[in-house]
Amino acid sequence: MSRRADSDETRATARPGREDGDRPDPPDQPGRGGRPDRDDRDDRRRTADADARPDQPGADAAAKPVRTEEAHITAARTGRALTTSALHAAATGADTFPAVLREALGRRGLSLERVSERLKARGITISQATLSSWQRGRSQPERARSLRAVDVLEEILDLPAGTLRSLLGPRRPRGRTTPPGAEGAALQILGEDSVVEKALGARFRHFNQETSSLMVHDIVRIGESGTMSGFSTTNVLRAGRAGADRALFVLSFDDEAAEPVDIRVTCGRLAEATYLKGLKSLVLEIHFGRKLAKLDTTVVSYAVEVSPSLTPATHYERWSRTNLHEYLQQVYFHPGALPVDCHRYVREKVGAPPRAQRRIPLGAAHDVHVLTSRCKPGVHGVAWEYGP
């Protein structure tokens, strides 16, 4: 079974997510189609929960601290695989307070719960949520108690005195802050520490900041074995500001065996295709070929061929952080693997129970479809069942 989530839209059998980047165009881009880069087999299980088992930079022996754009150009141009931890370290910077803290936690194999307990035993109360914010760069230690905690952390993590302290930036303005609009909207649907956030790293903060989706058309194809053989997406985007020239998508798969084997971009230009095996996710960056004026629109279309999964697919869903003017979902089944029941559903957010379930009939072309006008933010899916 596989599912998919698209950034400004949905998630389902192959789950994509999208973001707009602020980086300059990478040189020597690979063109309109290509095969995704892959993590080394040895790195496939190194992805860890950001709170309990942080990623460990350096999982790829050849990876060095590089800038985000350099990391992704390397993946797109040379075919060298980026591990999830290397991608995250490249996106956040290997010499920042959050990155060094994450690396030290991973090296010591300590969960945030355990670290919080050790700090408390030393007379310093720091919650797991605060530690999580520190290692993800959402906040930094500034108050006297927090700075004392940093000194003790260096001891707990076997770091030389002053290692973490020296990486702290200037004090931030006091008062409660909220994530940028696009990031905050995505968090409401995806939740904290989602696959999309981990795959994008620091780029998640600018998630879909320059464009929004107006219309989306997903086509999913199910093979004779009941597994997903491929899918295609057409996305009509509108620029919220002048200068938008690219879109970023994260497509995730439920089954580890279901991997992308071929990618074709028919509208737009493929600039990056990186498969993160540890996250079972594919990152695509597609350029429009021009800079959009404010409120201008463009069309992005891509298709992904998928290797057979171990188990039959049973659903496809797409998440959306904004209102879509229209969303069309189509699933084509092989004549030899027709379902006995199909229904549509909606979730308020990823992981929430499905609601508004309704049966949908199988068409003459062995397909089902759902057309939703004024599609609200949330998760929109189609599920099916096979007979005994």
Side-chain angles (χ1 to χ4, degrees), residues 98-375:
V100 172
L101 178 58
R102 282 195 307 273
E103 191 279 333
L105 287 166
R107 176 173 48 79
R108 292 280 287 142
L110 293 174
S111 68
L112 296 187
E113 179 182 12
R114 184 63 179 148
V115 171
S116 180
E117 291 174 352
R118 291 196 179 187
L119 288 172
K120 189 173 182 180
R122 303 283 290 271
I124 304 173
T125 302
I126 300 293
S127 69
Q128 294 180 54
T130 297
L131 291 170
S132 176
S133 294
W134 289 357
Q135 73 161 352
R136 297 172 64 201
R138 293 190 181 279
S139 65
Q140 69 175 17
E142 292 180 347
R143 300 181 185 276
R145 182 186 62 181
S146 297
L147 294 176
R148 288 198 304 272
V150 171
D151 294 336
V152 176
L153 274 174
E154 292 172 346
E155 298 178 19
I156 294 174
L157 301 176
D158 290 336
L159 293 172
T163 299
L164 293 174
R165 274 258 200 169
S166 65
L167 297 174
L168 293 176
R171 291 178 63 89
R172 299 179 179 181
R174 306 310 303 172
R176 183 176 180 83
T177 60
T178 57
E183 181 193 13
L187 285 172
Q188 289 182 356
I189 305 299
L190 297 171
E192 296 281 346
D193 296 324
S194 66
V195 169
V196 174
E197 184 175 1
K198 291 177 181 178
L200 295 180
R203 294 190 290 180
F204 186 76
R205 290 190 60 81
H206 306 288
F207 198 50
N208 298 328
Q209 213 172 49
E210 296 182 343
T211 60
S212 59
S213 294
L214 297 178
M215 300 171 58
V216 177
H217 182 191
D218 284 330
I219 298 177
V220 183
R221 299 191 180 277
I222 305 299
E224 187 173 7
S225 63
T227 63
M228 183 179 66
S229 60
F231 58 89
S232 62
T233 293
T234 298
N235 196 327
V236 181
L237 302 166
R238 180 170 62 190
R241 64 181 68 172
D245 64 353
R246 68 194 67 189
L248 191 66
F249 301 85
V250 179
L251 307 99
S252 299
F253 305 85
D254 284 347
D255 195 316
E256 190 175 71
E259 299 182 355
V261 295
D262 194 31
I263 302 163
R264 298 294 170 194
V265 176
T266 53
C267 284
R269 186 177 68 227
L270 181 63
E272 175 192 339
T274 302
Y275 183 62
L276 305 172
K277 180 172 281 291
L279 293 177
K280 295 180 288 188
S281 297
L282 172 67
V283 177
L284 300 179
E285 183 176 296
I286 299 176
H287 291 193
F288 307 149
R290 63 187 177 95
K291 293 185 181 295
L292 303 182
K294 185 176 181 180
L295 301 183
D296 201 359
T297 59
T298 191
V299 177
V300 169
S301 296
Y302 57 86
V304 179
E305 181 183 338
V306 182
S307 62
S309 59
L310 297 176
T311 57
T314 59
H315 70 278
Y316 177 95
E317 58 187 31
R318 169 177 289 273
W319 68 271
S320 175
R321 66 175 180 86
T322 60
N323 292 305
L324 293 174
H325 288 199
E326 194 168 80
Y327 175 46
L328 175 59
Q329 221 174 10
Q330 286 182 284
V331 182
Y332 286 88
F333 298 93
H334 189 280
L338 298 179
V340 297
D341 180 68
C342 300
H343 64 272
R344 62 184 296 180
Y345 61 90
V346 177
R347 305 180 195 271
E348 292 185 359
K349 59 183 179 180
V350 172
R355 58 179 178 80
Q357 300 185 59
R358 192 175 73 190
R359 294 190 66 179
I360 48 179
L362 196 66
H366 310 303
D367 72 310
V368 295
H369 79 274
V370 175
L371 176 64
T372 305
S373 298
R374 291 188 286 275
C375 188

